[in-house]
Amino acid sequence: MKTLTEKTSPVYSGLDIAKATLQLHLQGRHTTFANTVAGHRQLLQQLRAVPGVHLVCEATGGYERAVVAALHATAIPVSVVNPAQVRYFARAQGQRAKNDPIDSAVLTAYGVALRPPATPLPDACLDELRALIQWRLHLLEQRQATRNHAEHATQPF
């Protein structure tokens, strides 16, 4: 019999994140949510019903930020992992197909097998600095693209 001081082992759950949707694989079931504030609320409501849940998702270039922030705000552990490592893990298991339900199930298996540590809450100042750096790089790329285009302009404007 477990006492109250014993920790329960984590229940790993995969969350595949796309621009418009979230695909959850939790305890063998797939559920789709919108990648919106309302969808995040629905996801959190479902996760609260499972004690010890630990989400595993991939870094998606920004689509994951809002849902990860919502998970941090409610103290649900989440591991944001490198997508290349998850892909290699899937290939090592013979998994070649790729779609949202399969990816979320692979993320669950990745969590169970490798037990990734929870991603810590980002420092607000560092987060803002990263966003500013990304924006600056974007503007520099746009400026260079415009210069490249102007070199070949045939109109006098």
Side-chain angles (χ1 to χ4, degrees):
M1 179 174 206
K2 289 188 177 187
T3 64
L4 291 177
T5 58
E6 288 184 51
K7 283 189 171 183
T8 58
S9 56
V11 176
Y12 287 98
S13 175
L15 183 67
D16 187 67
I17 300 170
K19 182 178 182 179
T21 61
L22 304 170
Q23 178 72 45
L24 177 69
H25 179 261
L26 177 61
Q27 298 177 321
R29 293 189 339 254
H30 292 277
T31 310
T32 303
F33 303 96
N35 194 357
T36 62
V37 173
H40 300 169
R41 271 191 243 116
Q42 292 171 337
L43 170 69
L44 294 172
Q45 183 179 10
Q46 185 166 344
L47 294 174
R48 284 188 197 108
V50 181
V53 70
H54 182 130
L55 254 64
V56 180
C57 67
E58 295 173 325
T60 59
Y63 295 137
E64 80 283 357
R65 286 189 192 123
V67 71
V68 168
L71 292 162
H72 278 136
T74 56
I76 295 174
V78 59
S79 299
V80 181
V81 296
N82 183 328
Q85 290 175 329
V86 175
R87 198 77 227 127
Y88 291 131
F89 177 82
R91 286 186 180 157
Q93 293 185 320
Q95 184 59 260
R96 301 285 186 248
K98 187 164 174 31
N99 63 36
D100 293 350
I102 290 172
D103 289 348
S104 62
V106 166
L107 286 163
T108 299
Y110 182 94
V112 170
L114 300 177
R115 299 185 170 279
T119 301
L121 182 66
D123 179 276
C125 291
L126 286 177
D127 210 28
E128 184 176 352
L129 184 59
R130 278 189 200 101
L132 289 169
I133 290 169
Q134 286 177 339
W135 182 246
R136 180 181 181 273
L137 290 173
H138 171 74
L139 291 174
L140 290 172
E141 288 171 4
Q142 290 293 337
R143 182 178 71 174
Q144 188 59 47
T146 301
R147 284 180 177 166
N148 292 343
H149 182 70
E151 287 176 0
H152 304 288
T154 56
Q155 298 297 321
F157 62 88

